[in-house]
Each structure stands twice: as structure tokens, then as C-alpha cells.
Amino acid sequence: MEQVVAKTVAAFLNSSGGTLVIGVDDAGRALGLDRDYATLRTPDADRFELWLRDMLSTSLGNNAAALPRIRFADVDGHEVCAVRCPRSSEPVFVAQGGSTDLWVRVGNSTRAFGVDEAVTYVARHFKPSLGDLLRPRR
């Protein structure tokens, strides 16, 4: 499940942004985070967010892991986690095993792009705008 979360977050960051909701089923019914919390030493939202950020840092890198906003809410008596991902200004790659892949949202699906597709996508999607060129560097 960790890699599914990492791939989905990267795909949202590499596309137009989006929100991943953890603790709901495909039909949108709240199931809660009880099973996720059960894997933690201290089963609460704070520890879950720490685990999630650490996992994203390992899979996507520290800069990409800092981009999503993570919020928790009670939905129908179940705690769920919303991971709101903005559009990244640079490509985000997922490191897994010995490979590094570019994941992108295509419609309502998350897809891995091969090297040739990734090169073309990055060149088109992440080209700087005039505003980017005029903005002072920090």
C-alpha cells in the first residue's frame, strides 16, 4: 500500500494536482484509519502523518514530500486523511527497488511513463513560463 500512496502522490504532483483520501473505499465510503493506526507504535493522526511524510521522503525525496498538505477529518464517525497535492514546478520521481519512475495522472488513473514518454512529458509539462524566468532566485 505504501508504494500505491507514493505513486499516486507523485502522479498528482506531476500532473495538475489533486487530493488522495486515505481511509475511504473506491465508492467513497469512509472506512477509517484504524487498520493503518494499528501498525504504529502510537496509534494517532500525528504519528500517521510522521510515518506518511517519512515514507514520501524516502520514495519521492525531501523536497517533493514537503509539498502535500495533510489533513485529518471525521467522516461518518471514521477518521480519514486527505493528502492535497499541488502541481509541482519540477518533475517528481518515485524510487522503488533499483528503479526510478515518473508517474502521471491520466484521467482518473495513475500511469508509469517509460523513459521516452517521460522525457517528452517533462519537456512539455515543466517548461518554464515567462513569470518563472523573471522571478528572482532565492
Side-chain angles (χ1 to χ4, degrees), residues 2-3 9 17 21 25 27 39-40 47 52 59 68 72 88 113 131 136:
E2 293 176 11
Q3 284 302 306
V9 168
V21 183
D25 64 15
T39 66
L40 304 172
R47 292 292 173 186
L52 183 58
S59 298
F72 295 86
S88 178
F113 278 25

Side-chain angles (χ1 to χ4, degrees), residues 48-93:
F48 184 78
E49 182 174 351
L50 288 171
W51 167 83
L52 183 58
R53 292 256 184 223
D54 285 345
M55 185 273 295
L56 291 174
S57 290
T58 300
S59 298
L60 311 179
N62 291 330
N63 289 331
L67 294 174
R69 290 185 56 199
I70 298 173
R71 299 288 183 260
F72 295 86
D74 184 279
V75 177
D76 299 329
H78 300 283
E79 189 168 27
V80 300
C81 176
V83 183
R84 178 173 284 165
C85 304
R87 179 186 185 279
S88 178
S89 61
E90 57 189 33
V92 174
F93 296 91

Side-chain angles (χ1 to χ4, degrees), residues 5 8 13 25 32 54 66 110 112 126:
V5 170
T8 303
L13 293 170
D25 64 15
D54 285 345
T110 300
F126 294 101

